[in-house]
């Protein structure tokens, strides 16, 4: 997702990239480090001396179209599958999130261990 976002929007700071994909700055910082080690991104100077932006490398640009095609195919397959189900998977995810907001999975396991 991050590579696709950088391809669509161009270089972004880690904060901007994290917000755009719904992740924390810390999580994205670690992921950017891994992508940098894999040769997929590089950092470039930002608007001022204190900031850096994450940019795609030529290697990433060479694979981003394949990633985009896979993403489109995945979304189409999910839409097709949801049409066949009486209860959409996206609703299941929302329901699970709501249930876990009421009581965490950790707390549920801890209760079972106390019984």
């Amino acid at each position: 997702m991050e590579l696709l976002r950088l391809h669509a929007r161009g270089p972004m700071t880690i904060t901007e990239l994290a917000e755009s994909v719904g992740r924390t700055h810390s999580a994205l910082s670690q992921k950017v480090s891994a992508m940098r080690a894999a040769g997929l991104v590089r950092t470039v100077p930002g608007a001022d001396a204190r900031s850096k932006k994450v940019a795609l490398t030529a290697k990433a640009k060479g694979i981003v179209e394949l990633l985009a095609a896979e993403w489109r195919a995945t979304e189409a397959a999910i839409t097709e599958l949801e049409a066949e189900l009486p209860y959409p998977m996206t609703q299941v995810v929302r329901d699970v999130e709501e249930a876990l907001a009421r009581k965490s999975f950790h707390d549920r396991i801890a209760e079972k261990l106390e019984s």
Side-chain angles (χ1 to χ4, degrees):
M1 178 60 77
E2 292 81 3
L3 295 177
L4 293 173
R5 195 59 47 93
L6 288 168
H7 178 68
R9 295 189 183 172
M12 302 168 73
T13 65
I14 290 177
T15 300
E16 292 167 338
L17 185 56
E19 289 173 359
S20 77
V21 296
R23 293 201 169 78
T24 65
H25 182 280
S26 176
L28 237 298
S29 182
Q30 291 176 1
K31 192 161 188 181
V32 165
S33 291
M35 290 189 300
R36 188 180 310 119
L40 299 172
V41 299
R42 61 189 168 82
T43 54
V44 296
D48 60 50
R50 297 173 299 152
S51 68
K52 292 181 185 176
K53 293 200 172 204
V54 180
L56 295 178
T57 63
K59 179 180 179 179
K61 290 177 183 176
I63 63 171
V64 77
E65 288 304 321
L66 175 61
L67 292 174
E70 287 178 349
W71 188 259
R72 287 188 301 272
T74 300
E75 287 183 327
I78 289 170
T79 300
E80 179 182 289
L81 180 58
E82 282 200 333
E84 295 177 33
L85 300 173
Y87 194 72
M89 291 184 297
T90 52
Q91 184 62 47
V92 172
V93 171
R94 284 190 294 271
D95 291 347
V96 169
E97 286 174 340
E98 289 174 12
L100 291 174
R102 290 189 298 275
K103 185 190 311 183
S104 74
F105 199 65
H106 174 270
D107 290 347
R108 293 166 191 270
I109 293 170
E111 285 178 3
K112 301 305 176 207
L113 291 172
E114 292 173 3
S115 305

